[in-house]
Amino acid sequence: QIQLVQSGAEVKKPGASVKVSCKASGYTFTYYPMHWVRQAPGQRLEWMGWINAGNGDTKYSQKFQGRVTITRDTAASTVYMELGSVRSEDTAVYHCARADITTYGIDVWGQGTTVTVSS
Amino acid sequence: QTVVTQEPSLTVSPGGTVTLTCASSTGAVTTAYYPNWFQQKPGQAPRPLIYSTSNKHSWTPARFSGSLLGGKAALTLSGVQPEDEAEYYCLLYHGGAQPWVFGGGTKLTVL
């Protein structure tokens, strides 16, 4: 079945970088874009960016521009999200989510990765 | 900065009907915004309900429907069940420099 399995929880100090992975299975990886979405404790969902898994094109939220990088490894069917210069406000659960390239429908979510930023 | 606005909270009785809306600060929402709707319960990942305004996923209960209403995207629940109590989020496509924006979420209480 279609699955997105994310890497485990991370604890980082302020100023560090964090890289979260999202391994896809059960479908043709390059056919579907992947979003990254985060949710701080008790807060709304927040869109961070997405990648065309076929050609690697990316687009980021203005809020994270310059601090976030989304990449993919087609051989490993894995998408990565790296967030740099983290601060306490970046403490959140980070999700990957698969989208359909024609309908833009999001249909599968990763289980989420908790990132905690603390000195 | 683009803002997507939802009702912060709504209350509905079991068996009743309720409509949640999703507005964009850029103007009237159309099908070109590809509205997606998600249900989220505490401690869980969001569950997709509706995509491209009104299309249901195979697992979406029939009582959920999506539409455009008065320049907004709308999610209507007909015959509400107790298990529908949750937070509901919309997601709109704007393209350009800020392609996708989530709404602030609507906390639906079934009482």
Side-chain angles (χ1 to χ4, degrees):
Chain A
Q1 76 279 24
I2 297 166
Q3 269 192 303
L4 301 176
V5 178
Q6 298 183 221
S7 49
E10 301 265 11
V11 179
K12 295 292 181 181
K13 293 195 182 304
S17 292
V18 64
K19 191 170 186 176
V20 180
S21 67
C22 170
K23 182 169 177 58
S25 61
Y27 69 95
T28 302
F29 175 74
T30 53
Y31 285 7
Y32 293 83
M34 196 77 77
H35 295 269
W36 282 92
V37 175
R38 79 176 188 181
Q39 188 170 37
Q43 301 300 309
R44 68 165 68 187
L45 297 172
E46 188 171 30
W47 186 81
M48 299 182 70
W50 68 339
I51 186 166
N52 180 320
N55 62 18
D57 284 350
T58 55
K59 201 81 173 184
Y60 303 118
S61 166
Q62 290 175 317
K63 175 174 179 176
F64 300 103
Q65 196 79 38
R67 234 176 23 110
V68 68
T69 305
I70 299 174
T71 56
R72 97 285 191 222
D73 179 341
T74 55
S77 296
T78 300
V79 175
Y80 302 91
M81 186 284 300
E82 185 169 19
L83 185 63
S85 304
V86 297
R87 35 204 186 240
S88 58
E89 309 88 88
D90 294 317
T91 293
V93 176
Y94 291 75
H95 291 275
C96 57
R98 187 187 85 153
D100 185 283
I101 197 149
T102 52
T103 68
Y104 287 178
I106 293 176
D107 61 350
V108 185
W109 288 68
Q111 84 276 18
T113 296
T114 299
V115 174
T116 303
V117 181
S118 174
S119 53
Chain B
Q1 181 180 337
T2 302
V3 176
V4 174
T5 302
Q6 298 180 242
E7 297 85 1
S9 63
L10 291 170
T11 300
V12 61
S13 300
T17 296
V18 65
T19 296
L20 290 63
T21 67
C22 175
S24 173
S25 61
T26 62
V29 176
T30 67
T31 56
Y33 284 70
Y34 297 94
N36 278 255
W37 288 92
F38 305 93
Q39 177 192 66
Q40 189 179 35
K41 296 183 178 179
Q44 297 182 13
R47 177 191 180 205
L49 292 174
I50 300 288
Y51 64 97
S52 293
T53 305
S54 57
N55 293 279
K56 300 180 187 182
H57 296 282
S58 59
W59 54 82
T60 303
R63 61 184 181 274
F64 291 86
S65 64
S67 64
L68 297 177
L69 203 61
K72 302 178 184 180
L75 176 71
T76 299
L77 288 71
S78 305
V80 172
Q81 301 296 307
E83 61 265 29
D84 297 332
E85 183 162 294
E87 191 89 21
Y88 291 84
Y89 290 93
C90 65
L91 175 64
L92 299 180
Y93 178 71
H94 291 80
Q98 188 67 9
W100 291 94
V101 182
F102 278 98
T106 296
K107 182 173 174 57
L108 182 67
T109 300
V110 181
L111 209 56

